[in-house]
Amino acid sequence: MVIRIYADDREKASGIPELLKELGITVILSQLSVADYVIGEDAAVERKSVNDLVNSVFDKRFFDQISRLSEVYNFPMLIVEGDINEIRKITEKWRAINNALISATIDYNIKVFYSRDKKDTAEILKKIAEKYQFGENGSRRINLHNKAKLESISDMQLYIVESFPYVGSVLAERLLLKFGTIQNICNASISELEKALGSRKKAEDIYKILRAHYSKTNADNDSKKSTSLFDFL
């Protein structure tokens, strides 16, 4: 199954979109006006490091952000990243941070998750996305009207190749430099893809995605069963 997550383009600097791609998730960078990650038709996540959480509460950004998050999405979520014990070291007014999180949960119906680090955040986002996109009541469709601004053909090519599962910006550029065009990537054999990607599984998955015939029935069934490359061929 292919999991797709929209990430605000400002999150690229955090490295989390790359970690998500390493987990096999299709990440689409976009300019999001609300939330850092959109993971379902009606579900989105705001991510805050411990330092950013403290700063945003005191400069009033926090309540503006969670207010808009809860207004736009029926399933708003917040991930607090880092050691929350550090809050007491950062500020003597640590109770204000606790109160802000309580208010987010009770007044704005925000589900709050805690992660140790960026890798942990990526794992949590993946698990949440699986639930919302492939759960009993999930929807695989995510509709956004705002896409990343692409100024050149090269940007567009990288954008398309980066949307492949397991492929981040580094691998996307490597694939394009090796094969020259997106069409050549699509026509490449599994062994050729494996040499470029350094992984047989990644090569097989991408090969299958590029050649599988799309139909609504297949799209629905993908969430219920996994097809091996042998079955596909």
Side-chain angles (χ1 to χ4, degrees):
M1 63 183 181
V2 178
I3 301 172
R4 182 175 61 170
I5 293 178
Y6 279 86
D8 186 79
D9 53 13
R10 288 166 293 188
E11 278 291 292
K12 187 174 183 179
S14 72
I16 292 175
E18 290 297 317
L19 291 172
L20 288 169
K21 289 175 182 178
E22 290 175 8
L23 294 173
I25 295 172
T26 296
V27 179
I28 303 171
L29 292 172
S30 186
Q31 293 181 340
L32 303 180
S33 57
V34 178
D36 292 318
Y37 299 91
V38 177
I39 58 172
E41 184 70 14
D42 209 15
V45 178
E46 181 77 18
R47 180 188 74 90
K48 285 197 175 297
S49 67
V50 166
N51 281 331
D52 185 35
L53 173 64
V54 172
N55 291 332
S56 66
V57 168
F58 290 129
D59 66 17
K60 312 300 182 184
R61 285 183 295 117
F62 179 76
F63 287 104
D64 176 62
Q65 289 170 329
I66 65 171
S67 175
R68 289 187 292 120
L69 187 66
S70 63
E71 287 175 0
V72 175
Y73 294 97
N74 287 331
F75 302 100
M77 287 163 273
L78 169 68
I79 293 179
V80 178
E81 183 182 284
D83 185 358
I84 59 173
N85 292 320
E86 291 294 315
I87 294 175
R88 298 194 181 210
K89 299 178 182 179
I90 296 172
T91 176
E92 295 179 352
K93 300 179 180 180
W94 54 267
R95 288 185 178 85
I97 311 303
N98 284 350
N99 292 337
L101 292 173
I102 291 170
S103 179
T105 303
I106 296 176
D107 298 332
Y108 295 93
N109 198 30
I110 306 284
K111 294 179 175 64
V112 181
F113 301 88
Y114 296 91
S115 73
R116 294 168 299 177
D117 49 32
K118 293 176 181 179
K119 185 176 181 180
D120 199 22
T121 296
E123 293 280 358
I124 291 171
L125 286 169
K126 178 184 178 182
K127 182 57 66 176
I128 295 173
E130 287 174 350
K131 291 289 186 182
Y132 276 93
Q133 295 182 31
F134 295 97
E136 183 178 348
N137 299 316
S139 170
R140 298 183 66 219
R141 299 184 184 277
I142 308 176
N143 296 318
L144 288 184
H145 298 292
N146 48 341
K147 293 187 177 181
K149 292 184 179 179
L150 307 173
E151 298 180 353
S152 68
I153 291 177
S154 296
D155 288 341
M156 295 177 190
Q157 290 170 319
L158 284 168
Y159 181 80
I160 292 170
V161 178
E162 282 182 25
S163 70
F164 294 168
Y166 310 111
V167 177
S169 58
V170 174
L171 273 181
E173 187 169 19
R174 185 190 303 173
L175 285 168
L176 284 167
L177 288 173
K178 178 175 178 58
F179 293 103
T181 67
I182 294 175
Q183 183 176 8
N184 288 341
I185 296 173
C186 294
N187 292 334
S189 66
I190 295 175
S191 59
E192 289 173 328
L193 289 171
E194 181 182 4
K195 289 178 183 178
L197 295 168
S199 167
R200 181 73 178 185
K201 183 180 185 306
K202 292 179 182 179
E204 289 179 349
D205 286 350
I206 291 175
Y207 182 91
K208 181 170 65 174
I209 290 168
L210 291 173
R211 287 163 174 77
H213 178 74
Y214 177 83
S215 72
K216 182 65 170 64
T217 301
N218 289 342
D220 291 338
N221 288 339
D222 281 346
S223 63
K224 300 176 182 177
K225 65 179 181 180
S226 175
T227 304
S228 69
L229 183 67
F230 179 78
D231 293 334
F232 170 74
L233 294 174

